[in-house]
Amino acid sequence: ATLGALQAMRQASMGYPGDEEAKEIVGQYFDVVLSEFKAATPSTKLRQRPSSDLQGLELPQIYFNASEQRVKYAMKPGLSSTEKQDIVKAAYRQVFERDITRAYGLNVSYLESQVKNGEISMKEFIRRLCKTPLYRKQFFEPFINSRALELAFRHILGRAPSSREEVQNYFSIVSEGGLPALVDALVDSQEYSDYFGEETVPYLRGFGQEAQECRNWGPQFDLFNFSAPFRKVPQLITLYAAYQQPLPDRHVYGTGNDPLEIQFGAIFPKESRDPKTAPAPFAKDTRRVLIRQGAGIENQLSNPGARGKAPGSLGPKVFKLDQNTGTKFSESNTQTLIRAAYRQVFGRDVYAAQRLESSEIRLENGEITMKEFVRILAKSPTFRKLYWDRLYVCKAVEYIHRRLLGRPTYGRAEMNSYYDICAKKGFYALIDAILDAPEYAEAFGEDTIPYERYLTPAGQAMRYRKPTNMEGTGMFVRTEITPRFVELGTPAQPISSEPDTAFRVQQGVSKRREQSKVFKLTNTADKVALKTIIKAAYRQVFERDIDPYVTKPEFTALESRLGNGDISVKEFMEGLGGSELYIREFYTPHPNTKVIELGTKHFLGRATRDQAELRKYNQILATQGIRAFINAMLVTPEYTENFGEDTVPYRRFPTLPAANFPNTERLYNKQTKQNDEVVVPSFTPVAPFGG
């Protein structure tokens, strides 16, 4: 068909140019395109699993070449040691789903040496890895047999189980012989030899590797995407069990992510929304069970031919365009009819700019019928944007069908016919096919606005089983439950007197809150205040006045730079922390944990917050040294927020607030030279779930 179209285009194009040279150029370009299409195409890739219970599928070679190619590793005798090590790591990643050497510091050294030296093949290496105690502990003992079988298929064959018969066969093997028998059966299978042979490391055979089956689509790629320790539930056995159950009340193309009761089309639904990822096993002659909006005797099964009967008082209100005001179901005000048409077709009232005023005038003048007005609304850009452009075809058909015919689709045959119209003719042909159907003429005719005639049992339950709708029936009783934290925060006896309130506010607060003084550099011209700030910095960092102990002017340069405004108080503190005196007094004699504790005391005014902070600073101190550790504290947002550039750090939290108040109290109530005890934050951890 492509060659015929190109030849017709070549013949038509030769008539456009005026001179012979231009015609020759056009002909040369078309000849190049035709020669490319006449060339032999690559052969398709077949599934190498001939069996009576498996689907025979083909993957075109052009699809395989266009897909993202998976790296394949093969253990050859002449490879270097580095290349062999990479291949062994690839085998670890396939079998254990992670690089166990990097993650756990583990390896199977005796097997590694054998496969690298050529004593065993890669096939035997995979077999023995799957029989190791590590694999048994990770992927066999924590799971039931059906889940262990799925994981073994993923690790050894690179795919999920394909059919119920295959699961039954291998389930009997693992039940009788355990893990070793299952591994031997998979590794010794003809399929393993066809795909991987003796040298190739198994790989996941997903998109682009081979043709994929439709029946296990969702569970197979769930098996590829989820790590085994985080997914305990078997997937394939529950899928095949669901096929044996009665037909569920859902769409023929499976469940989805839609928050409405319209569930269809999604291939990978969120597990938190609906765990049933399998498509419903509907046949072509199966249809949904729908509930009629009206009298029960007129429902879908009792009287399928009763489409033209109005629901009356038991169903939705029917709007009909009829100039005779005495006729039943009529509306004298055409604007009410127009608003009802907008609400039915669009699902809401439209904005003023979205209204089709010219069509409204034609309807009021009797130039068009209500059916044609609904057709114009359904073909408008607003409707197309709402229910077509942003949705995939199945979802769009379902929404449009409900809006225009007032019911969900019956089954696969009806959905397939609409899908065929959309694929061949497009959106506007779908609107015409629905409105020109005999069902529309019988149910609504020319003058009735479409209304909701049927809905699914799921939609009925969502509408009428909400707590707000069940309170009046006595089926649901709303009870107000007071949260526990509100109960705990409510005093048993109300505090009435002001002295009592003041006493409670000050309870447990020491006098240090009132006596603490903050030193901040505001003006370098005041030399007395500058000297006071420098001494306060010395007392904060060295825990004493250092004038009687310093025999040489070690900090003269820092003091002069601070007095001249060359550096801030923050940089002055950094210089003190990196001085030889600080290193000799607070770094050299102590272990890293004690150094971190003293550093947070001197530069942040508190004890270490928790174990995580201790580990963070310990890594910096061990790898980069004392000066990098002090700089890391000074550049934190905590230091900037509390001290800024010109305030000398001081003891924070002298009272009840702060989680590490007890540790800070212990740290400040002892002298560094008299006590070498380390105040390590040791909060009681929260017990995990089930602990």
Side-chain angles (χ1 to χ4, degrees):
T2 306
L3 287 174
L6 288 174
Q7 290 173 352
M9 292 168 61
R10 182 183 187 278
Q11 183 177 1
S13 301
M14 295 294 287
Y16 290 113
D19 54 345
E20 294 297 329
E21 184 178 359
K23 291 183 180 180
E24 183 179 356
I25 294 175
V26 172
Q28 289 178 356
Y29 279 107
F30 269 101
D31 290 340
V32 171
V33 176
L34 288 170
S35 62
E36 290 293 331
F37 274 90
K38 288 179 181 178
T41 58
S43 59
T44 57
K45 295 179 68 65
L46 302 177
R47 294 174 69 92
Q48 303 178 25
R49 283 187 285 152
S51 176
S52 59
D53 66 308
L54 299 180
Q55 299 176 1
L57 303 178
E58 299 181 359
L59 179 70
Q61 188 70 238
I62 55 175
Y63 293 169
F64 174 78
N65 296 333
S67 66
E68 181 180 357
Q69 296 300 314
R70 192 180 301 278
V71 180
K72 300 176 183 178
Y73 297 88
M75 182 65 75
K76 303 289 184 180
L79 298 177
S80 64
S81 59
T82 304
E83 293 173 329
K84 290 183 178 180
Q85 185 63 32
D86 292 340
I87 296 172
V88 169
K89 287 185 177 180
Y92 284 149
R93 288 194 298 270
Q94 172 63 22
V95 173
F96 296 103
E97 299 186 15
R98 57 190 57 82
D99 188 346
I100 60 173
T101 305
R102 176 177 297 180
Y104 307 128
L106 302 175
N107 60 354
V108 190
S109 56
Y110 65 96
L111 290 180
E112 280 191 23
S113 61
Q114 287 180 332
V115 72
K116 290 178 182 177
N117 297 334
E119 299 177 14
I120 60 174
S121 64
M122 178 54 65
K123 180 178 180 178
E124 290 301 315
F125 183 64
I126 296 295
R127 185 200 306 270
R128 298 183 187 184
L129 281 184
C130 294
K131 293 182 180 181
T132 56
L134 178 60
Y135 185 89
R136 173 180 289 272
K137 184 178 180 181
Q138 290 273 352
F139 303 105
F140 186 74
E141 293 178 354
F143 308 105
I144 62 176
N145 284 354
S146 57
R147 178 63 176 168
L149 185 148
E150 297 172 4
L151 298 177
F153 265 83
R154 179 192 192 278
H155 300 151
I156 299 175
L157 294 182
R159 65 172 176 89
S162 179
S163 64
R164 187 182 183 191
E165 292 77 12
E166 190 175 40
V167 171
Q168 290 175 337
N169 180 25
Y170 284 99
F171 191 88
S172 62
I173 294 175
V174 71
S175 299
E176 296 174 2
L179 178 63
L182 175 64
V183 172
D184 289 337
L186 293 175
V187 174
D188 294 334
S189 63
Q190 182 64 37
E191 179 184 354
Y192 187 97
S193 300
D194 291 339
Y195 277 94
F196 311 121
E198 295 288 334
E199 299 177 338
T200 304
V201 177
Y203 52 87
L204 297 181
R205 289 145 55 190
F207 286 123
Q209 304 302 317
E210 66 174 8
Q212 301 298 321
E213 293 176 311
C214 183
R215 56 185 171 186
N216 302 333
W217 182 280
Q220 170 164 322
F221 286 98
D222 275 351
L223 187 65
F224 289 167
N225 294 335
F226 288 95
S227 180
F230 300 101
R231 183 69 179 266
K232 304 291 185 181
V233 181
Q235 298 170 255
L236 277 301
I237 195 70
T238 54
L239 169 69
Y240 300 132
Y243 284 161
Q244 306 304 315
Q245 301 298 322
L247 294 178
D249 175 37
R250 49 183 171 170
H251 194 269
V252 294
Y253 285 97
T255 58
N257 297 330
D258 302 306
L260 308 176
E261 50 93 15
I262 304 174
Q263 303 285 346
F264 40 65
I267 299 173
F268 302 113
K270 295 180 180 178
E271 295 186 352
S272 59
R273 181 62 62 96
D274 189 347
K276 298 178 181 178
T277 59
F282 279 82
K284 290 185 178 181
D285 56 349
T286 307
R287 64 181 180 181
R288 278 170 161 172
V289 176
L290 303 180
I291 299 175
R292 177 173 169 79
Q293 291 281 71
I297 194 63
E298 305 292 343
N299 64 14
Q300 169 195 4
L301 300 179
S302 299
N303 190 5
R307 296 180 188 168
K309 295 185 179 180
S313 60
L314 299 177
K317 186 176 181 180
V318 178
F319 294 89
K320 185 175 182 181
L321 180 63
D322 194 344
Q323 299 300 325
N324 184 7
T325 57
T327 306
K328 194 178 181 181
F329 310 122
S330 65
E331 290 288 340
S332 58
N333 188 355
T334 54
Q335 286 299 319
T336 304
L337 289 171
I338 291 173
R339 285 196 299 270
Y342 278 118
R343 284 196 298 269
Q344 171 61 28
V345 175
F346 292 99
R348 58 174 174 82
D349 289 326
V350 295
Y351 299 107
Q354 296 174 331
R355 300 188 61 160
L356 306 178
E357 296 181 355
S358 60
S359 300
E360 294 178 15
I361 296 173
R362 294 177 61 194
L363 177 66
E364 291 178 342
N365 296 336
E367 299 178 12
I368 58 176
T369 62
M370 180 57 72
K371 177 180 178 180
E372 292 303 315
F373 182 66
V374 170
R375 189 193 305 269
I376 294 172
L377 294 183
K379 291 185 178 181
S380 64
T382 304
F383 185 85
R384 182 184 178 108
K385 185 178 181 181
L386 277 176
Y387 297 114
W388 179 263
D389 291 343
R390 301 177 181 179
L391 307 177
Y392 49 89
V393 176
C394 290
K395 189 170 185 177
V397 168
E398 187 75 17
Y399 270 119
I400 296 172
H401 200 270
R402 283 183 169 232
R403 290 296 170 199
L404 301 185
L405 267 184
R407 65 167 176 83
T409 53
Y410 279 144
R412 185 182 295 272
E414 188 174 35
M415 178 62 75
N416 288 347
S417 63
Y418 287 127
Y419 195 98
D420 188 59
I421 294 173
C422 295
K424 294 180 179 179
K425 301 179 181 179
F427 167 72
Y428 300 104
L430 172 67
I431 302 298
D432 291 334
I434 293 177
L435 293 178
D436 295 337
E439 180 181 355
Y440 187 95
E442 295 175 14
F444 310 119
E446 294 290 331
D447 298 322
T448 302
I449 299 175
Y451 55 90
E452 186 177 52
R453 299 181 295 136
Y454 297 97
L455 74 163
T456 61
Q460 179 81 2
M462 289 181 66
R463 297 183 190 184
Y464 298 104
R465 292 186 183 177
K466 295 181 180 179
T468 54
N469 294 335
M470 294 168 63
E471 289 182 358
T473 63
M475 299 172 61
F476 177 83
V477 179
R478 183 182 298 276
T479 57
E480 296 293 339
I481 301 176
T482 304
R484 181 61 176 163
F485 72 92
V486 175
E487 295 180 0
L488 296 175
T490 304
Q493 297 178 354
I495 303 172
S496 57
S497 62
E498 185 175 349
D500 191 12
T501 305
F503 170 74
R504 289 177 179 271
V505 170
Q506 297 297 330
Q507 187 176 8
V509 179
S510 64
K511 297 295 290 183
R512 291 190 62 91
R513 170 184 280 186
E514 303 174 6
Q515 297 171 354
S516 61
K517 179 176 176 58
V518 178
F519 296 91
K520 184 175 183 180
L521 180 62
T522 57
N523 185 11
T524 57
D526 190 352
K527 299 304 179 182
V528 177
L530 177 64
K531 191 65 176 177
T532 304
I533 289 174
I534 291 174
K535 288 186 177 182
Y538 287 151
R539 286 194 300 271
Q540 173 66 21
V541 175
F542 298 105
E543 301 186 7
R544 61 182 60 85
D545 290 326
I546 65 172
D547 291 342
Y549 305 99
V550 178
T551 57
K552 58 181 179 179
E554 187 176 359
F555 304 106
T556 305
L558 280 175
E559 293 180 7
S560 62
R561 293 181 63 193
L562 179 63
N564 296 333
D566 296 336
I567 59 175
S568 62
V569 174
K570 177 180 177 180
E571 294 169 326
F572 182 74
M573 297 294 295
E574 184 177 3
L576 295 183
S579 64
E580 295 181 2
L581 178 61
Y582 188 86
I583 294 175
R584 184 172 68 250
E585 293 292 327
F586 299 104
Y587 176 66
T588 306
H590 304 293
N592 281 1
T593 308
K594 184 68 175 179
V595 173
I596 295 171
E597 176 184 295
L598 295 174
T600 55
K601 174 184 178 182
H602 297 155
F603 296 97
L604 294 179
R606 60 168 174 82
T608 311
R609 181 179 292 112
D610 51 20
Q611 295 286 348
E613 187 179 44
L614 198 65
R615 289 193 299 269
K616 167 190 169 184
Y617 286 134
N618 189 26
Q619 183 178 8
I620 297 175
L621 186 62
T623 57
Q624 304 178 38
I626 180 65
R627 291 183 174 86
F629 161 62
I630 294 173
N631 182 67
M633 288 188 294
L634 295 178
V635 298
T636 57
E638 178 186 359
Y639 185 94
T640 304
E641 180 180 353
N642 289 281
F643 308 122
E645 295 289 334
D646 297 321
T647 302
V648 178
Y650 53 88
R651 176 185 176 182
R652 297 159 56 208
F653 314 135
T655 180
L656 215 54
N660 59 347
F661 169 69
N663 290 329
T664 305
E665 282 292 308
R666 291 177 54 197
L667 184 62
Y668 272 93
N669 290 337
K670 67 177 185 176
Q671 297 296 328
T672 304
K673 292 296 184 180
Q674 298 174 358
N675 194 340
D676 292 334
E677 178 190 359
V678 179
V679 182
V680 180
S682 55
F683 302 109
T684 304
V686 178
F689 291 106

